[in-house]
Structures are given as C-alpha cells and as structure tokens.
Amino acid sequence: YSKRMNATNVNTGGFAASEMNTVSLPEIYNKMPPSWKRVIPEIQVTTAYSGNSDEMATATCHLFLASGYELSGTAFNSRAVENTDIFGFYADKKTNDDRIKYNSSNVATTWWLRSPFSGLTNSFVYVGTSGAAYSSYAGSYIGVVPCFAL
C-alpha cells in the first residue's frame, strides 16, 4: 500500500496537517473490522511542525506513522524528537536491517515515517530498502505502515 504524504511537496504542519493523517490513514481505519475499531483508541501523537522549525504539532488519530525516535532512539534525520519512547518491538533492535519491511511479494520496500526531514520544507523521512533513513518529496508515493495503540 503506497500513498503520498501530501498532494504538494510541502511538510509545513507536519504529519498533523498531512493528507496522510487527514485522508489516507482514516480511509484505512474505516475499512477495518468493527471488532478492531472497538479496541483502537484515538490518541494524540506529537510531530515536528516542519523541517525548518523546532515547533511541535499534535495529531489526534486512531492510526499514525512511526517517528524516527520510536524506531531508533534518535531523531533519525528529523529536526525534532517527536517522542521519547522507543516502540517495544524495536527496543532491542539496533541495526538498519531491523527496520526493513517487505511487501506481499517478499521484496524489501520503502515506508514513510511521520517526521518532516530536517532542514527541508518539502520532504518527509522514509525508511529505505536498506533500513536507513532518507528524505523524499511529500508528493511521492511510498509504503504505509500504520501504527496504533492498544
């Protein structure tokens, strides 16, 4: 499943204002079985406002994208630390190989993070097929790995 972060190449407003958060992830959530939707709470996630700002924004959502810090314990090419906790799944995983995701054909694929790329106003961070962090224009179609809280 590949989607863009925004229709235009802009990261102003961060993940909170993105098309990914306001359109794409709600579409995925709405297609989930009712039994799943009953146990996935709406939460608030913090996101950098842009790649050129230390300001933070808050997104209220059922589904969200991981931040670099949640995967690695570092800002991971983002200007701001968007969370101070590493996801439990990644707590003991320290290499790029641990972040590689595979598509339905078992081919390594790229996937978005919610972090605007540091120093740029047109890009977000994504995880490449090597598990390393890169930047891509917000209008690029890249894999989506939805996260949720239980």
Side-chain angles (χ1 to χ4, degrees):
Y1 188 78
S2 295
K3 285 292 191 178
R4 62 189 183 202
M5 289 296 281
N6 281 316
T8 59
N9 292 324
V10 64
N11 65 23
T12 303
F15 171 76
S18 72
E19 178 181 313
M20 178 70 70
N21 180 49
T22 60
V23 177
S24 300
L25 290 174
E27 285 175 352
I28 294 170
Y29 177 79
N30 288 333
K31 292 177 182 177
M32 292 176 132
S35 59
W36 285 35
K37 292 196 280 189
R38 280 194 295 273
V39 298
I40 298 175
E42 188 173 63
I43 65 165
Q44 292 187 336
V45 295
T46 304
T47 180
Y49 184 77
S50 79
N52 281 340
S53 173
D54 292 328
E55 185 180 350
M56 301 300 277
T58 301
T60 302
C61 45
H62 289 97
L63 301 179
F64 58 96
L65 301 181
S67 72
Y69 195 93
E70 291 161 339
L71 302 179
S72 67
T74 69
F76 213 54
N77 291 338
S78 178
R79 183 179 176 102
V81 173
E82 297 166 302
N83 197 339
T84 56
D85 295 321
I86 298 174
F87 286 164
F89 179 80
Y90 289 100
D92 62 343
K93 295 175 173 47
K94 304 296 180 198
T95 69
N96 286 349
D97 289 347
D98 295 322
R99 290 184 289 274
I100 297 173
K101 302 286 184 216
Y102 297 88
N103 65 19
S104 59
S105 301
N106 205 31
V107 175
T109 190
T110 58
W111 52 289
W112 283 117
L113 298 181
R114 73 174 181 266
S115 310
F117 196 86
S118 181
L120 300 176
T121 59
N122 59 3
S123 300
F124 283 83
V125 178
Y126 76 92
V127 177
T129 57
S130 68
Y134 299 98
S135 71
S136 186
Y137 291 121
S140 300
Y141 282 79
I142 293 179
V144 178
V145 178
C147 301
F148 54 89
L150 289 179

